[in-house]
Amino acid sequence: MSLQDRTRFDPAEVEPRISARWLADGLYHPEPEGAADENYSIAIPPPNVTGALHMGHALNGSVQDALIRLHRMRGQRAKWILGTDHAGIATQAQVEKRLISEGTSREAIGREAFTERVWEWRSEFGGTIIDQFKRLGASCDYEEERFTLDDGYAKAVVKVFVALYDKGCIYRDHYMVNWDPGTGSAISDLEVEDREVTDTLFSVAYPLSDGSGEVVVATVRPETMLADTAVAVNPADERYTHLIGKSVVLPLVGRELPIIADDYVKVDFGTGCLKITPGHDPNDFEIGRRHGLEELSAIGEDGCMTADAGAYAGLTVAQARTRVVADLEAAGQMRAAEPYTHTVPFSHRSGERIEPLISLQWFMRMDELAAPAIAAVREGRVRIHPESQSRRYLDWLENIRPWCVSRQLWWGHRLPVYYRGEETYVGAEHPAGDGWTQDPDVLDTWFSSALWPFATLGWPDDTPQLRAFYPTNVLSTARDILFLWVARMVMMGIEFTGEVPFTDVYCHSVIQAPDGRRMSKSLGTGIDPLDLIDGGPRPPVFTEGGDFPAYGADAVRFGLMAMSSTQDVRFSEEKVAQGQALANKLFNASRFILGKVPEGTGPAARPTTVEDRWILSRLQRIVGETTERVEVFAFSKAVLGLYDFVYGELCDWYLELIKTREIDDDLAATLTYVLSETLALCHPFIPFVTEELWTHVPGHEDGLLAAAPYPRVEPALIDVPAETRVADLITAVTALRAWRETTDLPPKTILPARIPAAYADTQTLIARLARLEPIGDDGEASALVPVPGGVVEIVAGYLVDPAVEAAKREQRRAALTAEIARAEGKLANPGFIAKAPPHLIEAERGKLARLREDLEETGT
RNA sequence: GGGCGCGUAGCUCAGCUGGUCAGAGCGCUCGCUUUACACGCGAGAGGUCACAGGUUCGACCCCUGUCGCGCCCACCA
């Protein structure tokens, strides 16, 4: 289609066409050759197979694609490792929901049939998010898509588990876990969310065994007292020191409990006396382990009271609480009951209240692997951006705790653990002999994703992919999985490959809803990136209703990068609109240039005038700035800088300056060069529009911009004098236009004027843009417009009101006089003269001299 | 409770190691069918840089405190 057929860039028409060309070309798939340090790779944070593209994916995708495209254009083999995560809990929950809607359930169909259903689900919906990445223009290696549960990956997971077991890092233990009654599984601390809840705080009296009195303890969970095994006080609490070593009798049960001393107990909270229930409270568990207390479980995984609960066995937790409270009251041991608001853990997945339980689980000891991961960041072998995030990373690793890696799910990597009676076998293969049964649990999803950067490349085999692309270069992610995922990848990477899995970690912003709340579908604050691209409906969080315009992928990419920062930011539709405007501006600038340039013009920098030298010099500046900004992950500055260049310098000034020039070979070549370089420079950020326009540039019909060389700074084209000359021109023209706005002159009137000699090389340009006609000495000036290095004298006779001009002159004199006074005052300050750096003093003196000259020129 | 960060034009945000920084985009006002673009062009108005002290010749930028907001970690029975 000819460019001249339309005046607007139409992403809906262009993007599918361009996308198809990229995919057909194969440039997304680099051959696994060469060494990792000459190639460039990024492992995508694998989206959940069941997921749909959300704002975080879109921003992260834009960022990673900009990096990948830029390095690909630099001639590196650039591989963006693609794949999806099996996402144990999330996926299992989705399929279970479907089963329930079909009137059946996971339990009813059994494990084998269930996992089969999940695989079916995956083949049906697993491609959705991949297709959405394509819509965004993400240049992932779609030819080698991986899945955290595919055969090769499973092999890597088993190898790692067995190796860590053999090393003694993985072990089975009774431990306090966050039991989620909703999913019937232990979940990690990181999957727990806190909610504020109002409970009743009960004060219960425990009589001393020797009959000398009682101590009062407070609890919101009286039913757990059935599993109490001690009472603790602070060793420094003089109210109780005499009781340490004595014992109390547990009401309703009659068990004798020692009174122990532990610093954990707060002297100034409650009665300063704490009942210890190692089986049902994480802190009590720790205390219990410190003091070697017995660990009783009064509550079972089914949410009912166990045999340890004695007379209460079989009741639900709620029933037991009611009974215990009633019995305590009947026994006269209840001292108080008052409302109490506090935060309580809930399952992020099922929404149910966490039941802390002691349970037999598989754990991984982390300290040994953490040490090298700490060193890697400390020593700068892994750099985290922004730097402030590395502190969080280090704090977490330095206080790391054992990781509960077993999950009571069916969807995931089943533990390579086998039992026969009292025997336990851990190994890649099913053990020989009869009677072995495999552990039913699967591994925490993050266990497998921790291997992502190398398991995707074929590890543990020594593959060409691994040699060519590992370690990867950059890992880009939101902060929230810095611990869950990033830290664990560093640990596993170092342990199993001997190398850090990436050298830079970029933590991008979290985009919040326009009102500052978290983006969430259920809150109505979520914005679907595809709705922005295609023009879908605005979610309720927008005050304005209706559909989004079909902004297109470039606009969304630009907008998201423009919004991003080192901290969280609010979504701003204006930034997306700005991206759309930029795409459209490039489209029209290209139409303009290509409409002037004859067929067959090759791009070349052949400046013949000051404005040619200026734009070429400015182009070098923006090339350098953009490159530097990407290197330090300043994507917002990078894209906004490109916007400013295209609008502010290329279109507003250069194209206007050359508009009336005859197009000779030199100018045609230069225009083509500037356009080509600008398109290439912008391509990693807004790939579609630039690729489309590239095809219209003479000589580019067949080649892909995505495979063209990225611009580099050409020092020979930097021209400081030209930059100064045109900067003055811009200031002068702006001043002249502003002056005209203050008059009643019809906008188009051409006015005779004397332009200072300093503007000899640019005066015809100034005259055209400011609608002046340069004249000689004849005629009396009716207005004076100050410009850098002189004054433009307007000779407009009666068209200009002398009184108005005189008033303006007076105003200017007053402003200059005030400025001069300020500068004089500063220079008269002995402190300034004595302590300020000499170059600043000089600058101030120069400024004063100029101000005095300017005042002189205003005449009298 | 600990840690981090933020409060700059109506809105969303830039302002590097203190010395033309008081800025950009959008919005708003005024004027333009100027032969690439009205998703355009030109010109404007708008801020005591949260508040109070302090350091300094000089602070939006450093220090202290106060108020407001966000996030992370720990999670006081």
Side-chain angles (χ1 to χ4, degrees):
Chain A
M1 171 178 309
S2 163
L3 271 188
Q4 309 304 333
D5 290 348
R6 49 178 87 210
T7 62
R8 290 182 190 178
F9 175 64
D10 178 9
E13 187 273 321
V14 170
E15 288 175 2
R17 194 155 43 73
I18 295 295
S19 196
R21 282 189 69 202
W22 286 332
L23 288 165
D25 182 86
L27 84 163
Y28 292 175
H29 175 68
E31 288 308 314
E33 293 164 2
D37 57 3
E38 55 179 322
N39 297 335
Y40 189 85
S41 61
I42 295 177
I44 197 169
N48 291 359
V49 268
T50 58
L53 195 76
H54 62 232
M55 213 45 89
H57 296 128
L59 170 59
N60 202 187
S62 303
V63 162
Q64 294 170 84
D65 197 44
L67 291 168
I68 286 283
R69 284 183 184 271
L70 194 152
H71 286 89
R72 183 185 293 125
M73 290 174 79
R74 287 227 175 113
Q76 290 178 276
R77 291 182 201 89
K79 182 179 176 77
W80 189 358
I81 302 163
L82 176 70
T84 51
D85 193 301
H86 67 279
I89 298 173
T91 310
Q92 175 158 331
Q94 293 249 27
V95 177
E96 280 196 68
K97 208 184 289 174
R98 171 176 271 204
L99 288 176
I100 286 165
S101 75
E102 292 171 4
T104 178
S105 71
R106 166 166 70 103
E107 291 77 8
I109 66 172
R111 182 167 192 150
E112 205 173 315
F114 178 76
T115 48
E116 216 164 280
R117 283 298 300 265
V118 187
W119 280 104
E120 282 169 23
W121 173 280
R122 188 232 169 200
S123 62
E124 192 174 344
F125 299 106
T128 304
I129 193 155
I130 303 293
D131 290 338
Q132 290 173 326
F133 269 100
K134 288 179 186 166
R135 292 288 316 277
L136 196 63
S139 57
C140 309
D141 186 352
Y142 296 97
E143 290 176 37
E144 290 185 355
E145 183 187 329
R146 296 302 302 268
F147 182 48
T148 55
L149 213 48
D150 65 35
D151 289 342
Y153 208 102
K155 190 170 131 192
V157 169
V158 167
K159 187 178 172 77
V160 165
F161 186 93
V162 173
L164 289 171
Y165 176 82
D166 289 343
K167 199 180 174 179
C169 288
I170 285 183
Y171 57 94
R172 199 179 192 204
D173 193 14
H174 287 280
Y175 209 79
M176 172 112 330
V177 296
N178 301 298
W179 186 262
D180 175 5
T183 58
S185 176
I187 61 176
S188 77
D189 289 346
L190 299 159
E191 293 164 319
V192 168
E193 66 181 33
D194 291 324
R195 293 189 203 160
E196 199 161 84
V197 158
T198 300
D199 283 325
T200 306
L201 183 66
F202 298 96
S203 296
V204 183
Y206 288 13
L208 291 163
S209 307
D210 59 12
S212 62
E214 61 181 31
V215 296
V216 176
V217 299
T219 180
V220 292
R221 303 212 41 201
E223 70 280 8
T224 64
M225 68 172 287
L226 302 170
D228 281 4
T229 53
V231 167
V233 298
N234 190 295
D237 190 344
E238 51 207 27
R239 292 173 297 176
Y240 299 118
T241 41
H242 67 286
L243 295 178
I244 296 169
K246 292 191 172 183
S247 62
V248 296
V249 176
L250 183 61
L252 309 184
V253 177
R255 188 163 55 239
E256 200 161 311
L257 310 179
I259 297 174
I260 59 172
D262 197 287
D263 286 332
Y264 172 79
V265 184
K266 301 284 176 289
V267 175
D268 54 357
F269 189 87
T271 60
C273 205
L274 178 64
K275 76 191 225 5
I276 303 297
T277 320
H280 298 293
D281 182 279
N283 295 308
D284 293 6
F285 180 82
E286 299 280 331
I287 294 169
R289 287 268 160 122
R290 276 203 287 277
H291 295 269
L293 298 177
E294 197 182 347
E295 291 162 5
L296 299 178
S297 291
I299 301 168
E301 293 179 356
D302 59 358
C304 291
M305 306 309 285
T306 66
D308 281 349
Y312 303 87
L315 298 180
T316 66
V317 170
Q319 289 166 339
R321 179 177 309 172
T322 312
R323 283 273 296 278
V324 166
V325 169
D327 293 348
L328 284 169
E329 278 167 355
Q333 300 304 116
M334 188 66 83
R335 290 290 175 270
E338 47 203 32
Y340 181 68
T341 301
H342 62 149
T343 56
V344 171
F346 281 79
S347 165
H348 193 67
R349 292 292 172 199
S350 70
E352 292 206 26
R353 189 162 169 167
I354 295 299
E355 190 67 66
L357 292 181
I358 292 177
S359 151
L360 192 54
Q361 300 283 347
W362 284 90
F363 288 89
M364 178 170 167
R365 196 157 47 73
M366 304 297 285
D367 44 359
E368 200 172 315
L369 266 60
I374 290 169
V377 167
R378 282 248 174 80
E379 293 161 13
R381 282 176 288 124
V382 172
R383 297 178 292 267
I384 301 180
H385 314 267
E387 214 273 329
S388 58
Q389 294 300 320
S390 54
R391 171 85 166 276
R392 286 181 61 229
Y393 170 98
L394 291 170
D395 281 351
W396 187 76
L397 281 177
E398 282 162 2
N399 297 299
I400 198 153
R401 303 164 73 108
W403 173 17
C404 176
V405 295
S406 48
R407 287 298 127 92
Q408 290 67 51
L409 301 172
W410 287 353
W411 177 240
H413 295 276
R414 196 158 169 184
L415 271 60
V417 176
Y418 305 83
Y419 309 106
R420 182 169 67 184
E422 292 300 298
E423 295 175 85
T424 299
Y425 173 82
V426 175
E429 306 295 334
H430 197 286
D434 293 331
W436 291 96
T437 54
Q438 188 172 4
D439 194 302
D441 289 357
V442 301
L443 285 163
D444 180 7
T445 301
W446 296 106
F447 190 94
S448 50
S449 21
L451 320 180
W452 185 249
F454 50 95
T456 46
L457 294 172
W459 186 93
D461 298 333
D462 179 23
T463 62
Q465 281 85 356
L466 199 58
R467 286 195 298 271
F469 298 114
Y470 187 87
T472 65
N473 293 75
V474 174
L475 189 284
S476 177
T477 177
R479 289 183 318 272
D480 54 354
I481 52 176
L482 193 60
F483 312 142
L484 276 170
W485 189 46
V486 178
R488 288 167 178 169
M489 278 192 287
V490 177
M491 289 188 263
M492 294 293 204
I494 295 173
E495 175 70 17
F496 289 97
T497 70
E499 293 186 83
V500 296
F502 30 73
T503 49
D504 291 271
V505 175
Y506 172 59
C507 296
H508 67 244
S509 301
V510 172
I511 310 252
Q512 299 166 331
D515 61 1
R517 288 186 291 168
R518 209 166 190 75
M519 269 202 196
S520 136
K521 245 183 219 160
S522 52
L523 287 174
T525 53
I527 301 168
D528 184 342
L530 292 174
D531 284 340
L532 288 166
I533 294 174
D534 298 331
R538 279 193 181 77
V541 68
F542 284 86
T543 46
E544 189 184 350
D547 285 0
F548 290 118
Y551 285 114
D554 288 325
V556 171
R557 294 169 58 125
F558 177 99
L560 291 176
M561 283 192 273
M563 277 173 235
S564 74
S565 163
T566 54
Q567 59 182 42
D568 292 351
V569 290
R570 295 187 181 196
F571 180 83
S572 130
E573 188 178 342
E574 288 72 27
K575 287 285 191 292
V576 178
Q578 198 178 344
Q580 183 194 31
L582 176 61
N584 196 243
K585 195 70 171 172
L586 279 172
F587 182 80
N588 279 296
S590 301
R591 289 176 59 217
F592 178 67
I593 291 171
L594 298 174
K596 283 184 173 299
V597 171
E599 293 284 319
T601 302
R606 278 160 36 196
T608 56
T609 66
V610 66
E611 69 269 23
D612 292 347
R613 286 183 280 124
W614 174 77
I615 194 64
L616 290 167
S617 190
R618 296 306 300 165
L619 179 64
Q620 304 319 304
R621 305 285 185 192
I622 191 67
V623 166
E625 285 166 2
T626 303
T627 308
E628 287 163 18
R629 287 163 177 166
V630 170
E631 275 166 8
V632 298
F633 305 101
F635 296 98
S636 151
K637 288 197 174 75
V639 297
L640 291 172
L642 289 170
Y643 178 95
D644 288 342
F645 173 74
V646 170
Y647 263 78
E649 303 195 293
L650 180 58
C651 293
D652 287 350
W653 292 102
Y654 185 63
L655 295 186
E656 292 301 327
L657 286 168
I658 59 99
K659 212 164 213 175
T660 55
R661 260 167 74 182
E662 188 189 336
I663 309 294
D664 58 20
D665 289 351
D666 290 330
L667 180 55
T670 300
L671 278 168
T672 307
Y673 175 82
V674 171
L675 177 62
S676 295
E677 291 287 291
T678 302
L679 292 174
L681 185 63
C682 293
H683 181 261
F685 312 97
I686 44 173
F688 290 103
V689 64
T690 48
E691 185 73 77
E692 166 71 3
L693 293 171
W694 183 261
T695 63
H696 294 279
V697 176
H700 294 161
E701 292 81 358
D702 299 326
L704 282 172
L705 172 55
Y710 201 67
R712 288 178 188 278
V713 176
E714 298 288 347
L717 291 176
I718 292 176
D719 189 330
V720 176
E723 289 193 42
T724 307
R725 297 303 306 127
V726 175
D728 284 351
L729 172 152
I730 289 171
T731 308
V733 169
T734 304
L736 288 160
R737 284 168 174 169
W739 168 80
R740 188 188 285 263
E741 290 285 330
T742 66
T743 70
D744 292 329
L745 291 163
K748 287 186 167 176
T749 317
I750 306 289
L751 299 172
R754 280 187 289 275
I755 297 171
Y759 289 87
D761 54 345
T762 53
Q763 76 159 357
T764 53
L765 296 170
I766 291 176
R768 178 163 57 81
L769 294 179
R771 297 183 192 284
L772 302 178
E773 186 191 352
I775 57 165
D777 289 335
D778 297 338
E780 192 180 342
S782 48
L784 301 177
V785 180
V787 295
V791 168
V792 172
E793 297 181 5
I794 311 285
V795 185
Y798 65 91
L799 291 173
V800 173
D801 182 342
V804 171
E805 290 306 315
K808 274 191 285 201
R809 201 154 52 234
E810 230 9 82
Q811 213 176 351
R812 178 166 162 79
R813 287 179 64 84
L816 285 170
T817 307
E819 270 296 289
I820 287 167
R822 204 191 54 77
E824 284 172 343
K826 197 165 183 179
L827 287 166
N829 179 340
F832 181 71
I833 298 300
K835 297 188 178 174
H839 73 274
L840 285 172
I841 298 174
E842 265 324 295
E844 196 65 28
R845 287 195 174 123
K847 186 174 163 188
L848 179 59
R850 247 173 290 120
L851 287 168
R852 283 175 172 151
E853 276 175 34
D854 288 349
L855 184 62
E856 198 83 8
E857 277 170 356
T858 62
T860 45

